[in-house]
């Protein structure tokens, strides 16, 4: 089975991990700050903090922005549940904004309409988690404008989008947002096994993120509330968690990050073959904005409306041919946990519903061979004939 996404681990990655395992530090050594610096330099952000997952980084981000009981956080329904769960961890509520049919990203027009309604009803959200879906940047300029106009804090969930650019500017620069989050789960763009990272340009947010990831403890004298008792002294100045990345993981992250451009180029090569081969089929692909550079984490095709009832057959035919197709994502509001909390919201999100009925994710990842790509192309063409 050719999986929809997969890590690419080579001998030099294994050597980097082995070297880290034999070093003095397995957890809090020099590799974590080195990895953080390498990402910060690449995306152009002032602060960069590694976490043990993007989920914990999202939790820390919501906390840093003061999200708490009585607040609401908005996000897209077409994302992994972590984009919404982070608000619930902080005791806040979650609501969703419908997607744009073509980009599959949060729709700026729906966002504006919902903000107008929310303002009139005193229901404005504290923060918006904007997900760069499948690695394709959201309409960042318009979304940031709207967030500024309505006093909403913008968090970027760039779990899919390491290496992506919007208007030539790397995602993660936080030029138009408060905090940006990356994931290094094996199916994402680069991997540290589990792992995540937050970038920001705001020193106060960076401090909060740093404390939150490690028990609220600091050894930085500037952050102490009282006088130091001596060289052993540290203070717990807030309540945090153990959300730290290990040095061994950061060593892998550094080795992987050096290959980021090559990984992205390979994803783009595969996507352009798919674009060309599927151009004549009755399939719609996610629209890629010409001013952006997508990280192409996922390559998703959508069946035309009259064939949507055949989606399951299309999916199963492909799986039977050894193509590890998937569906990203079941709308978050359809998950039983959310349905039980909020009741059915299906009618509010016609674009997300329509997208979900017809979407199938095809394999795209840098370890695919030419033969793999060809097999996907032939299998998709055959499956279209079969339905
Ligand atoms: C993968 C993913 C996450 C969570 O990442 P972890 O590192 O597995 O915690 C969050 N948001 C989105 C959009 C994701 O795809």
């Amino acid at each position: 089975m050719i999986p929809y996404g997969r890590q690419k681990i080579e001998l030099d990655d294994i050597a980097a991990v082995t070297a880290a395992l034999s070093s003095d530090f397995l957890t809090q050594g020099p590799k974590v700050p080195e990895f953080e610096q390498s990402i910060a330099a690449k995306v152009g952000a002032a602060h960069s903090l590694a976490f043990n997952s993007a989920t914990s980084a999202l939790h820390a981000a919501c906390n840093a922005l003061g999200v708490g009981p009585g607040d609401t956080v908005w996000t897209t329904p077409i994302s992994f549940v972590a984009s919404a769960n982070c608000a619930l961890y902080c005791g806040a509520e979650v609501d969703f904004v419908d997607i744009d049919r073509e980009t599959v990203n949060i729709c700026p027009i729906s966002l504006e309409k919902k903000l107008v309604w929310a303002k009139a009803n005193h229901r404005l959200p504290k923060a918006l988690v904007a997900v760069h879906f499948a690695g394709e940047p959201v309409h960042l300029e318009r979304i940031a404008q709207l967030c500024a106009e309505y006093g909403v804090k913008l968090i970027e969930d760039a779990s899919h989008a390491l290496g992506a650019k919007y208007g030539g500017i790397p995602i993660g620069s936080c030029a138009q947002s408060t905090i940006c989050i990356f994931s290094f789960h094996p199916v994402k763009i680069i991997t540290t096994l589990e792992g995540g990272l937050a970038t920001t340009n705001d020193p106060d947010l960076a401090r909060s993120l740093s404390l939150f990831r490690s028990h609220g403890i600091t050894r930085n004298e500037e952050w102490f509330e009282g006088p130091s008792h001596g060289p052993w002294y540290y203070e717990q100045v807030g309540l945090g968690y153990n959300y730290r990345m290990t040095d061994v993981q950061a060593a892998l992250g550094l080795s992987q990050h050096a290959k980021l451009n090559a990984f992205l180029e390979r994803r783009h090569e595969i996507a352009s073959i798919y674009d060309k081969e599927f151009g004549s089929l009755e399939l719609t692909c996610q629209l890629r904005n010409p001013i952006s550079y997508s990280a192409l984490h996922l390559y998703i095709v959508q069946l035309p409306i009259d064939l949507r009832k055949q989606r399951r057959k299309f999916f199963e035919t492909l799986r039977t041919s050894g193509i590890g197709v998937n569906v990203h994502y079941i709308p978050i509001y359809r998950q039983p946990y959310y349905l039980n909390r909020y009741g059915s919201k299906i009618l509010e999100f016609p674009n997300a519903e329509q997208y979900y009925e017809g979407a199938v994710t095809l394999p795209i990842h840098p370890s695919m061979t030419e033969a793999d790509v060809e097999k996907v192309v032939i299998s998709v063409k055959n499956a279209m004939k079969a339905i």
Side-chain angles (χ1 to χ4, degrees), residues 75 80-89 92-96 331-345:
T75 188
F80 184 55
V81 292
S83 306
N85 288 346
C86 55
L88 303 184
Y89 297 153
E93 295 294 322
V94 171
D95 201 354
F96 302 95
I332 298 173
Y333 54 74
R334 277 182 171 260
Q335 295 296 346
Y337 182 79
Y338 281 86
L339 279 178
N340 295 339
R341 248 181 117 87
Y342 298 110
S344 176
K345 292 206 149 214

Side-chain angles (χ1 to χ4, degrees), residues 139-198:
H139 194 326
L140 204 46
E141 192 182 347
R142 183 67 190 132
I143 287 175
Q145 260 173 8
L146 285 167
C147 284
E149 191 180 331
Y150 287 86
V152 177
K153 291 166 177 167
L154 178 57
I155 301 173
E156 293 173 76
D157 181 348
S159 291
H160 300 178
L162 183 68
K165 289 181 182 161
Y166 178 82
I169 299 169
I171 295 298
S173 75
C174 296
Q176 313 203 60
S177 67
T178 56
I179 299 172
C180 180
I181 306 297
F182 296 105
S183 170
F184 309 123
H185 178 279
V187 295
K188 306 289 166 71
I189 306 295
I190 66 169
T191 191
T192 61
L193 314 179
E194 298 285 356
L197 185 138

Side-chain angles (χ1 to χ4, degrees), residues 5 8 20 22 96 104 136 143 156 178 216 236 273 285 307 330 335 351:
K8 181 169 186 174
S22 320
F96 302 95
V104 197
E136 169 68 17
I143 287 175
E156 293 173 76
T178 56
Q236 182 187 347
I273 295 171
C285 299
L307 286 179
I330 303 163
Q335 295 296 346
N351 292 349

